[in-house]
Amino acid sequence: MTADGLLPAAFLSAGDRIVTRRGLRPLRALIRRPLRPGTRCVQVARDAFGGKPDRDVVLMPDQRILIRDWRAQAMWQRKAAAPRITQVIDGQYVRWSDHTPEAVLQLFFGQPEILYADGLELASADALPAMAATKAAQAAPR
């Protein structure tokens, strides 16, 4: 989601204003990273998260997703959690994918942001501060 409406990530460029949970933020960089054939990815089925995403989505295993429903409470005893997508693989709606895209796009804002993609709330590629990364690791299910 951008200030100009819904756009595929491939059409974004530095300076575009992206809708995040904290409001409009300028995109600092968009990096396209080619993937080797056979790179493991995660398939998220349409409606896997209570009507979200809007369509099937393929994500990288380390992609963080903001979860603000019963799953966050049941798995992490929190109202919201931002686990890696692999932490919510259930084998049916969220599963390892047979498909590897040619490349992935990483969005950078200069600080971590939550952005919207196909109805999902995804973490930007910006590195989490050390303290937040430690808290996120502690929140992971064991």
Side-chain angles (χ1 to χ4, degrees):
M1 290 178 61
T2 73
D4 298 320
L6 296 174
L7 289 176
F11 293 134
L12 299 176
S13 59
D16 286 345
R17 294 179 309 146
I18 309 299
V19 176
T20 73
R21 283 191 52 81
R22 296 184 321 125
L24 286 174
R25 297 289 185 251
L27 183 62
R28 295 267 177 99
L30 177 76
I31 297 175
R32 183 180 191 274
R33 297 211 187 274
L35 295 178
R36 289 186 304 231
T39 298
R40 291 192 84 189
C41 296
V42 176
Q43 176 86 31
V44 180
R46 179 177 184 226
D47 297 331
F49 293 97
K52 301 170 188 172
D54 303 331
R55 62 186 176 98
D56 287 0
V57 174
V58 175
L59 300 172
M60 293 302 297
D62 60 347
Q63 175 65 59
R64 291 193 177 275
I65 180 171
L66 182 62
I67 297 176
R68 298 182 298 133
D69 65 8
W70 62 268
R71 290 170 192 85
Q73 187 63 45
M75 297 173 78
W76 295 281
Q77 294 75 47
R78 297 172 178 231
K79 291 182 182 179
R84 287 180 178 82
I85 192 65
T86 54
Q87 293 175 275
V88 294
I89 287 178
D90 63 13
Q92 184 175 0
Y93 299 104
V94 181
R95 58 185 163 72
W96 290 106
S97 177
D98 296 329
H99 171 72
T100 300
E102 281 184 29
V104 294
L105 297 173
Q106 295 179 304
L107 282 68
F108 293 89
F109 295 88
Q111 65 182 15
E113 297 285 352
I114 298 293
L115 54 124
Y116 303 94
D118 294 314
L120 296 175
E121 294 177 286
L122 303 176
S124 66
D126 298 275
L128 287 171
M131 183 175 281
T134 300
K135 287 182 181 179
Q138 291 171 347
R142 296 186 190 343

